[in-house]
């Protein structure tokens, strides 16, 4: 059983781990330019995450059907599902570009509080974040298309090819950051704007590579044959995907918006608090990738067994994977708590920010098993099509429970960002119990 799990999970873990590791290095590079640029990139990326997760939600909603079609070798069904993804991701990309170009500055300004920061710092941070987010919109379309193709390939059980494309993209991103942030080999030193340019280039590089994989391996992915011929999607399937998938899209958008709103509450404690949270969140993501990859593994392995009608095997597989996820998260959470003081030292920032980031990392390590169990249960319900339940747990819980608590603590108390973060993180215990 675990050999079968590792065949699916290891490429996903490697892909997620390399991506998060390079993101951490990128974050450290930006952090070398100063606290203000690091905070600006943190705010901009938090807003871009709303678009990224909207894409993820819509791809995942159709992916429920894609994995089940692949499980029973219904390649025409897989072809219809892939077409649906292409249409929806192009619509999401267009909407995302328009929203950020028209309202980007207004969204960024919500994270800038005059009570805790000087007007000069606010103006500089606003300028950095605005420039960064305008450049990032150029990469929205290639990112969305890469997700379409990569998810279709993964639904067949082949996680290796998307992993290779992702590794190539993060390598391009890392080299681009090193060249453009600091201005090596005669190139201009663009600071955080250089990080955005490098990210956009890597998005195009990933799309080109994964398209090449799809074209040259058509025999392994029969649904790519004739995918653009007639471009027909049956209305009945479209309706089913929308009914099942729409709650996922709304869930991802609301959840990411709720997280952005919670971070806005942290930002009321000043740009330094925002910088400390950015450091801790970047490092925490590096440790959480194992849980994310195992969640994807649940979607693929359990989804395929459900599609093939093997219900008892699906239940048994899921229980083993949830147990494995919990045990792994306890080990990783302990490691994160112990190593917490090391990571902030790589950033060019003040000792007070490093100390705050260290405390936040210890809290994140302590709570990692909570997040891991919840994540595994979320993917379990989702791959079985219970998207309404996942919607109620995930985004409604974040928007209706976690955010109001963060808002009240940030407005009605003088608690530090550490105390607010600990309280908001522990609130997720009720989700795990339910």
């Amino acid at each position: 059983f675990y050999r079968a799990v590792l065949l699916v999970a290891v490429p996903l873990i490697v892909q997620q781990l390399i991506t998060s590791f390079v993101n951490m290095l990128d974050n450290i590079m930006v952090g070398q330019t100063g606290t203000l640029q690091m905070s600006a990139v943190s705010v901009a990326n938090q807003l871009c995450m709303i678009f990224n997760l909207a894409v993820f939600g819509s791809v995942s909603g159709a992916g429920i059907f894609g994995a089940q079609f692949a499980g029973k070798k219904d390649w025409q069904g897989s072809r219809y599902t892939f077409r649906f993804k292409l249409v929806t991701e192009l619509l999401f990309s267009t909407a995302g570009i328009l929203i950020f170009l028209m309202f980007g500055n207004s969204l960024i300004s919500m994270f800038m509080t005059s009570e805790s920061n000087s007007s000069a710092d606010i103006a500089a941070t606003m300028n950095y974040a605005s420039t960064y987010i305008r450049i990032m919109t150029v990469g929205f379309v290639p990112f969305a298309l890469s997700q379409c193709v990569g998810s279709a390939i993964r639904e067949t059980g082949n996680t290796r090819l998307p992993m290779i494309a992702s590794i190539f993209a993060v390598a391009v991103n890392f080299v681009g950051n090193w060249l453009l942030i600091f201005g090596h080999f005669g190139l201009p030193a663009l600071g955080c704007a250089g990080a955005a340019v490098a990210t956009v280039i890597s998005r195009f590089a990933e799309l080109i590579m994964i398209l090449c994989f799809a074209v040259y391996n058509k025999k392994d992915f029969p649904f790519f044959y004739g995918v653009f011929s007639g471009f027909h999607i049956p209305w009945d399937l479209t309706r089913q995907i929308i009914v099942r998938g729409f709650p996922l899209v709304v869930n991802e958008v609301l959840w990411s918006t709720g997280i952005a709103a919670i971070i806005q509450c942290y930002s009321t404690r000043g740009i330094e608090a925002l910088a400390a949270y950015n450091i801790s969140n970047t490092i925490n993501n590096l440790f959480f990738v194992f849980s994310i990859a195992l969640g994807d593994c649940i979607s693929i392995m359990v989804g395929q067994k459900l599609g093939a009608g093997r219900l008892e095997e699906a239940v048994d597989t899921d229980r083993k994977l949830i147990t494995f996820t919990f045990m792994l998260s306890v080990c990783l959470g302990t490691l994160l708590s112990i190593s917490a003081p090391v990571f902030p030292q790589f950033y060019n920032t003040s000792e007070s920010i490093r100390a705050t980031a260290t405390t936040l990392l210890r809290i994140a390590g302590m709570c990692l098993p909570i997040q891991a169990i919840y994540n595994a249960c979320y993917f379990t319900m989702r791959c079985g099509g219970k998207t309404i339940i996942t919607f109620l747990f995930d985004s409604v819980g974040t928007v209706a429970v976690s955010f109001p608590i963060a808002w009240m603590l940030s407005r009605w108390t003088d608690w530090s960002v550490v105390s607010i973060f600990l309280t908001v993180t522990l609130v997720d215990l009720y989700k795990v119990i339910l």
Side-chain angles (χ1 to χ4, degrees):
F1 171 79
Y2 284 105
R3 184 166 59 249
V5 170
L6 291 175
L7 284 173
V8 176
V10 167
L12 289 170
I13 290 172
V14 171
Q15 177 182 347
Q16 298 272 6
L17 192 61
I18 291 175
T19 300
S20 292
F21 182 70
V22 173
N23 285 342
M24 181 189 74
L25 295 178
D26 294 347
N27 193 263
I28 291 173
M29 288 184 201
V30 173
Q32 293 298 312
T33 63
T35 300
L36 297 183
Q37 293 201 47
M38 180 173 64
S39 299
V41 171
S42 174
V43 169
N45 279 335
Q46 200 60 52
L47 294 172
C48 288
M49 187 180 75
I50 298 174
F51 166 76
N52 293 345
L53 288 181
V55 170
F56 171 74
S58 57
V59 166
S60 299
I64 295 171
F65 294 86
Q68 294 185 12
F69 284 136
K72 55 188 176 184
K73 309 297 183 185
D74 181 354
W75 302 122
Q76 183 62 34
S78 296
R79 193 173 294 119
Y80 290 146
T81 305
F82 180 66
R83 290 172 181 169
F84 180 88
K85 291 178 187 177
L86 288 175
V87 173
T88 53
E89 298 327 306
L90 288 174
L91 290 175
F92 273 117
S93 299
T94 302
I97 292 168
L98 292 175
I99 289 170
F100 281 118
L101 291 181
M102 294 170 64
F103 306 109
N105 286 346
S106 300
L107 294 170
I108 294 166
S109 65
M110 294 167 56
F111 293 81
M112 304 293 117
T113 55
S114 57
E115 294 84 0
S116 305
N117 308 293
S118 68
S119 57
D121 285 350
I122 290 174
T125 307
M126 279 283 298
N127 181 57
Y128 291 138
S130 177
T131 302
Y132 184 92
I133 212 165
R134 283 199 302 271
I135 297 170
M136 286 292 288
T137 58
V138 179
F140 279 10
V141 172
F143 170 76
L145 294 178
S146 295
Q147 295 304 304
C148 288
V149 181
S151 67
I153 293 174
R154 278 192 294 269
E155 285 153 17
T156 66
N158 188 323
T159 54
R160 184 177 59 86
L161 294 181
M163 177 196 72
I164 295 171
S166 181
I167 291 173
F168 175 69
V170 296
V172 171
N173 189 27
F174 176 70
V175 174
N177 277 330
W178 184 73
L179 292 172
L180 295 173
I181 291 175
F182 304 114
H184 292 295
F185 294 107
L187 294 170
L190 300 177
C192 64
V197 173
T199 300
V200 170
I201 293 172
S202 72
R203 294 275 166 84
F204 280 99
E206 182 177 19
L207 176 61
I208 292 169
M209 175 160 278
I210 205 162
L211 284 175
C212 290
F213 284 146
V215 170
Y216 288 109
N217 293 276
K218 277 187 178 180
K219 64 180 183 301
D220 298 321
F221 314 116
F223 57 88
F224 280 121
Y225 283 106
V227 72
F228 295 106
S229 300
F231 211 86
H232 170 65
I233 310 171
W235 167 244
D236 185 58
L237 177 60
T238 301
R239 182 182 57 79
Q240 290 182 58
I241 294 175
I242 292 174
V243 169
R244 292 289 181 89
F246 184 70
L248 279 178
V249 178
V250 175
N251 176 65
E252 298 296 344
V253 171
L254 277 182
W255 180 83
S256 55
T257 302
I259 294 297
I262 290 170
I263 294 172
Q264 193 279 329
C265 295
Y266 299 153
S267 74
T268 62
R269 297 306 185 254
I271 289 177
E272 287 198 353
L274 196 60
Y277 174 79
N278 172 58
I279 294 171
S280 67
N281 189 53
T282 302
I283 306 304
N284 182 43
N285 287 341
L286 184 65
F287 284 77
F288 193 61
V289 295
F290 293 89
S291 297
I292 295 174
L294 286 170
D296 287 334
C297 194
I298 287 173
S299 289
I300 294 167
M301 295 185 69
V302 178
Q304 288 182 347
K305 285 178 170 56
L306 289 173
R310 303 200 299 270
L311 181 59
E312 289 186 8
E313 288 183 40
V315 172
D316 182 62
T317 297
D318 185 63
R319 287 174 176 169
K320 289 175 180 174
L321 285 171
I322 290 176
T323 303
F324 181 60
T325 301
F326 171 72
M327 293 169 63
L328 184 61
S329 67
V330 170
C331 298
L332 291 171
T334 303
L335 179 61
L336 176 56
S337 297
I338 293 172
S339 60
V342 176
F343 296 104
Q345 300 303 318
F346 293 106
Y347 288 82
N348 179 26
T349 190
S350 66
E351 281 302 320
S352 63
I353 292 176
R354 291 193 186 108
T356 302
T358 298
T359 306
L360 294 177
L361 279 170
R362 284 179 171 147
I363 294 171
M366 176 186 70
C367 297
L368 192 63
I370 298 173
Q371 307 299 326
I373 297 173
Y374 173 71
N375 187 67
C377 293
Y378 170 85
F379 276 97
T380 296
M381 292 185 286
R382 199 187 72 182
C383 76
K386 299 296 183 182
T387 52
I388 297 294
I389 297 176
T390 59
F391 168 70
L392 293 174
F393 270 103
D394 210 29
S395 60
V396 173
T398 300
V399 173
V401 180
S402 299
F403 167 63
I405 290 173
W407 188 89
M408 287 187 288
L409 292 176
S410 65
R411 268 70 176 183
W412 296 351
T413 74
D414 59 355
W415 286 15
S416 68
V417 67
V418 170
S419 300
I420 299 173
F421 177 77
L422 174 61
T423 305
V424 171
T425 303
L426 289 177
V427 165
D428 281 347
L429 268 172
Y430 85 91
K431 293 182 181 180
V432 175
I433 294 168
L434 288 175

